[in-house]
Every structure is written in structure tokens, then in C-alpha cells.
Amino acid sequence: MGQLPADEFDRFVAARWSALLHLARLLTGGDRHRAEDLLQEALVKLWFAWPKVAEQAPEAYVRRILARAAARSARRRWWGEHPVDQLPDPPEVGDETAAVDERTGLEAMLALLPARQRAAVVLRYYQDLPERHVAEVLGCPVGTARSLTARGVARLRQLLAEAVEPVE
């Protein structure tokens, strides 16, 4: 795109920005942030079509883009981030050594499980694989993988209960 068409586009945007933003706000139900996003999306599309529509009716073209994008956006359940007036409190810093100790203890208890139970638990909960994939990896039926996982988790619970000393 040459310098002249770019200058024409810049002048068009500068002259029509507020009116187009107002239209976008009306189309989004008054949500200023969504309206700005919608208008920016429409102007990007207009930029690519500018050589074809600059001499005709660029405002009508961008209005059509805005209306279609607003209708598409209204059908979505989630529009991304929602701006807030105040930022939430930052998360509190925890004791990292306690987390490492806990993870190390759990890994030591995993080592006490029979190999197939350990593999089933690791695949199912560490790797977050569905039962069907765990069965494929272990080369067994889904029911067997499910029972291996259940027995492994039960044994881990038992080992954890034994490891925690009651406070008296």
C-alpha cells in the first residue's frame, strides 16, 4: 500500500473514530471495552480492504463489519478479560520447602506401589490421561486400568495415613 492510500485511511479513521466508536458502543450494549475491541477489529479489516472501498463508501463498509462482528460477539459466551476498577490482592507467598517436602514424600510413597499400580496412578493423575488411554498404554482392558488406579490410590491413602502421626 502506497503512502497516499495510508494517509487517506489515517484521515478517515481520525475523522470518523468517535462516531464509529459510538456505533460500536450501541452495538455492544454500552460496553466501552468490547466496543473498542470491536472497532479495532473492524478497522483492521477495513485496512486490508481499503484499496477496494476507499473510493466507494468506506463508512458503510466498516458499519457492516461492526454490525456483523457485534452479532458474532453476542453469540459468544465469554469475551475474554473483564476490566475491573481494582486489582485483586496478589496471592500470598507460601512455604516452598513444605511443597517440595510434600511432593518428595508422595514420590517416595509412589515408589512403594507395585509397578502396574504406580504406572496407572501416574498416567491417570500426573499425566491426566483418560482411563481409555491409560488402558492403551498399559496394554490392558479399561476395567483393569480402572481397578489398578483405584487400588493404587487406596494404597497411597493408606501410606499417607500411616505417615501422618496423630497430634496428642
Side-chain angles (χ1 to χ4, degrees):
M1 188 175 278
Q3 186 63 23
L4 186 58
D7 288 342
E8 290 175 17
F9 179 80
D10 290 344
R11 281 195 298 277
F12 172 78
V13 170
R16 302 304 303 153
W17 175 265
S18 61
L20 292 171
L21 182 60
H22 181 69
L23 172 63
R25 280 185 81 168
L26 292 173
L27 290 171
T28 58
D31 186 338
R32 189 184 111 228
H33 300 287
R34 277 188 47 219
E36 288 175 354
D37 290 344
L38 195 69
L39 180 56
Q40 288 178 9
E41 178 185 330
L43 290 175
V44 166
K45 290 180 181 179
L46 177 64
W47 168 258
F48 288 110
W50 186 255
K52 292 183 261 180
V53 299
E55 297 299 321
Q56 297 167 4
E59 189 159 353
Y61 184 81
V62 80
R63 273 196 310 263
R64 183 179 332 140
I65 294 171
L66 281 171
R68 289 179 178 175
R72 230 181 4 262
S73 173
R75 286 190 295 264
R76 280 188 228 141
R77 289 179 171 235
W78 185 67
W79 296 288
E81 299 174 356
H82 297 285
V84 294
D85 293 330
Q86 275 189 326
L87 292 175
D89 294 332
E92 293 188 25
V93 178
D95 184 11
E96 293 297 321
T97 57
V100 170
D101 288 343
E102 185 176 319
R103 192 169 43 246
T104 304
L106 185 58
E107 288 173 359
M109 289 179 196
L110 269 172
L112 298 175
L113 294 178
R116 286 178 53 88
Q117 284 182 7
R118 181 174 53 247
V121 170
V122 168
L123 291 170
R124 180 73 176 105
Y125 296 108
Y126 275 74
Q127 296 294 306
D128 200 27
L129 292 178
E131 291 171 338
R132 181 174 50 85
H133 290 140
V134 173
E136 288 174 11
V137 171
L138 294 177
C140 63
V142 174
T144 304
R146 192 177 295 142
S147 65
L148 286 169
T149 304
R151 281 192 223 124
V153 169
R155 180 68 179 138
L156 280 176
R157 284 187 182 132
Q158 182 184 12
L159 291 169
L160 285 169
E162 292 171 1
V164 176
E165 297 177 16
V167 178
E168 294 180 28

